[in-house]
Amino acid sequence: MVIVPSRSHSEDKGISVTKPPASKPPSATLPPTVARQAGPPPATPTVLAPAKCFEQDQDSQWSKYLFRPGELAWFNRGNAWGLSVILKRTLERDLQNPSKDRAKYLVQPLSNPLQQKSTKIIESEDGLRPWLAWSPPLPTHSGLANTPGLTYNTIDWKGVTSGRYGQGDAEVDGSIFAAKAVDDSLTLFHPLTNNTVTTGERTYNGIYLGGEKIWTGEPIRLRVGSGQDIMVIHSIVERLKPGSTSISSATVLLVGDIYKFSTLSLQPGVEPPDNRHLPLRLRQDMEYRNRTTIPIKRTMSFWKLAQAQAKLPVTDIKGRWYESSALLPILKGADAFSQDLTRGEIGDAGQWMNARGDCNAVSGVPPKAGTRVVDRLDAFGRSIPPGTKISKGLDGPPEEHAFPKENALPPTTVQQQQQQQQHVPVPMPMEDVQEDPAKKGLEAQGVVSDGDIEQFMDLDRLEDGYVQQFAEAGGQF
């Protein structure tokens, strides 16, 4: 069983401009150059800086890797889907298509601290989904589902496993609460400049924003604007409060160029502007989409620069931008995507994605920046075994590249496991509160099929109590 989100429509926060009243034509005595001035010059795209490390270069290439080490992702457990952190990845020759490489991943399933799981090798990207592709379900234990304010670190997991919170699957609930904690987190990595003495700012090459790993020089989805607007990040800035060196009170800003998706009717001699400052993934995905739509729809699309060097807080960011040409065949299924191609209909993959913060959203409360975490592993806390390591890939030592021959727990000692089990938080009091599951992000449920859009549209199971029935039958997410 999988949980899939409903489409989220971002609020349009565009800037309205009031035109001044018309004025008389300029005097003939004015210089001609002044008379011809009609307004500010059009925005100029910012020059795209080259990648600063090997892994960043890998992730800048079109349709090479969809998922990145340190990211939160859904993985196929065979009869159901679970939540995991990606530890490492590699490319292998695709035996079914020898001219192409196939991505392979090692993931660590999330769980509660008393029932941690071994790693699992995912042989193809069909066995993974981005964290934001689906919404997490309600906890399977009624005592957890009906107690507001619980977090992974405040839950009495020993009480959960002993039945104090009702019947359910403690491993599943551990992964749900762990994933929500990760979604709330942000971690800056790969520091570039440190000007805290002069400007109070530091810059970084990347950020773990919730469940995703994001680099400078790549596009991200925005909450502001039309809902399909994107920003190409050129700088990640940490701004400290005056007189403070604490990162907990610092503000994180993303600086970059904002683009809007635009479409033109096909006309002889008319072509969209060729912007060489767009990231390669953006350009190649658009070329792919236009090759499909131009012969059938007689339209062509492009990314139109709306604002250069905009500064946005992390609360205005939905998440990573994904190529429609790469992700939609997985979300929709190969057959459904092929039918879309024959009709010339390739939409934006972001329309089928949630936004970071949606799973923790409270009605009427603005999105939060989240919790700063210094090290990415700390964001996952006790939901993964002690000794777990996230590979640095090509930027790390060669021994990190090796995959285990079989699934196994990372090297650890019995003493570490015992110490971990001894540090159990005090349980919070249970309250008899009945909440509408729809308010918790549980928008749809369905069984695994060839395409996720079919599951996306299955809205009728909400009233069937299907999650609880599945748990009672011994199923796993």
Side-chain angles (χ1 to χ4, degrees), residues 295-309:
I296 301 172
K297 297 287 188 178
R298 308 299 293 172
T299 61
M300 52 186 172
S301 303
F302 66 102
W303 291 105
K304 182 180 180 180
L305 179 63
Q307 183 180 356
Q309 290 295 296

Side-chain angles (χ1 to χ4, degrees), residues 348-370:
D348 181 12
Q351 293 179 318
W352 307 105
M353 303 284 285
N354 282 328
R356 182 245 180 177
D358 284 356
C359 69
N360 292 309
V362 177
S363 179
V365 178
K368 298 187 303 178

Side-chain angles (χ1 to χ4, degrees), residues 281-298:
R281 290 171 48 222
L282 267 180
R283 289 189 278 117
Q284 292 196 334
D285 182 69
M286 187 58 70
E287 290 174 4
Y288 179 95
R289 294 169 67 174
N290 278 333
R291 284 198 302 270
T292 301
T293 59
I294 287 176
I296 301 172
K297 297 287 188 178
R298 308 299 293 172

